[in-house]
Amino acid sequence: ASTVHSGSIDIDGEVSASVKSGYQKPYKSVGSSHSTSTIQKRNGNLHQCNSRIWIDNDTAWLMGKWLADGWVRKSKKTIGICYNPKLEAEQGERIKRFLRKHGVNKWTEDKGQDSCIDINISNYFISSWIINWFGLVGSHTKHIPQIVFNKLNNCHMKSFLEGYCDGDGCREKSSWKMKTVSRTLALDVKKAFA
């Protein structure tokens, strides 16, 4: 059996994984067969971004961080994620690095509730990816979707959990303690740590 060491996901959640032999499984193209797709923005300007999201530790971390501290706007075209300004170098830059890696160069930053910094990303591709993987959920209905358990390898699952803990967790001696209002999410996190 081949060992997966990297991969990509399109916005419909299909996975393309590169294996050690160098063979790449086929993936469903989004927008075009190239690595970028053109998206029409509301103001009439064209914007290019990557048509695939690569599964790596940054992507897995961002997914966990979004699960803890993220939201989808009612328009479904904007997602948000917040972080503590004291952690700008660690968390804020990691979020921005992910966005730039995927061709997103514009976002807004606002001072949010509880002295957090909110990053609002108005990018159809990134929003669609989050919605397709996690659904339109509120705090009380957040959960780890089965696709995360099925598609992330152990290394990526560790990064996913680190991202989640960076949002809803705190370190206590040699263990992590998490807090969420979603019972389902609490059980899913326990399962993921198992």
Side-chain angles (χ1 to χ4, degrees), residues 35-102:
S35 62
T36 61
S37 62
T38 304
I39 296 172
Q40 181 98 23
K41 290 175 75 175
R42 267 191 255 170
N43 63 7
N45 294 329
L46 293 177
H47 173 73
Q48 281 200 328
C49 71
N50 292 340
S51 64
R52 292 181 286 182
I53 302 279
W54 290 98
I55 299 174
D56 60 12
N57 289 336
D58 284 337
T59 302
W61 179 88
L62 183 100
M63 290 165 50
K65 177 68 173 154
W66 183 86
L67 188 61
D69 289 333
W71 60 90
V72 177
R73 297 273 183 236
K74 289 182 182 177
S75 70
K76 300 179 191 170
K77 295 178 183 169
T78 301
I79 63 162
I81 191 167
C82 69
Y83 65 91
N84 183 327
K86 294 176 185 172
L87 301 172
E88 167 68 24
E90 182 182 327
Q91 293 185 13
E93 284 307 313
R94 195 166 186 182
I95 295 166
K96 294 169 196 173
R97 182 175 61 237
F98 167 86
L99 293 172
R100 285 189 291 269
K101 182 172 21 177
H102 294 288

Side-chain angles (χ1 to χ4, degrees), residues 130-146:
I130 289 289
I131 291 168
N132 283 326
W133 271 59
F134 292 95
L136 295 171
V137 294
S139 324
H140 293 278
T141 57
K142 281 189 175 181
H143 64 284
I144 299 176
Q146 192 60 43

Side-chain angles (χ1 to χ4, degrees), residues 62-188:
L62 183 100
M63 290 165 50
K65 177 68 173 154
W66 183 86
L67 188 61
D69 289 333
W71 60 90
V72 177
R73 297 273 183 236
K74 289 182 182 177
S75 70
K76 300 179 191 170
K77 295 178 183 169
T78 301
I79 63 162
I81 191 167
C82 69
Y83 65 91
N84 183 327
K86 294 176 185 172
L87 301 172
E88 167 68 24
E90 182 182 327
Q91 293 185 13
E93 284 307 313
R94 195 166 186 182
I95 295 166
K96 294 169 196 173
R97 182 175 61 237
F98 167 86
L99 293 172
R100 285 189 291 269
K101 182 172 21 177
H102 294 288
V104 179
N105 296 309
K106 291 185 179 181
W107 55 82
T108 61
E109 291 184 60
D110 304 307
K111 186 173 169 102
Q113 298 176 347
D114 302 324
S115 301
C116 284
I117 302 294
D118 294 345
I119 295 180
N120 294 290
I121 306 142
S122 296
N123 179 284
Y124 178 78
F125 174 69
I126 299 293
S127 298
S128 295
W129 166 63
I130 289 289
I131 291 168
N132 283 326
W133 271 59
F134 292 95
L136 295 171
V137 294
S139 324
H140 293 278
T141 57
K142 281 189 175 181
H143 64 284
I144 299 176
Q146 192 60 43
I147 194 169
V148 170
F149 290 107
N150 294 345
K151 301 298 182 185
L152 298 186
N153 64 30
N154 289 340
C155 180
H156 297 145
M157 182 59 83
K158 180 180 179 208
S159 293
F160 174 84
L161 291 169
E162 286 171 357
Y164 178 75
C165 291
D166 282 348
D168 280 351
C170 64
R171 193 86 163 137
E172 288 189 358
K173 297 181 184 174
S174 62
S175 63
W176 281 95
K177 190 173 196 176
M178 280 73 68
K179 187 173 185 178
T180 180
V181 296
S182 169
R183 178 172 167 69
T184 304
L185 180 55
L187 293 172
D188 286 347

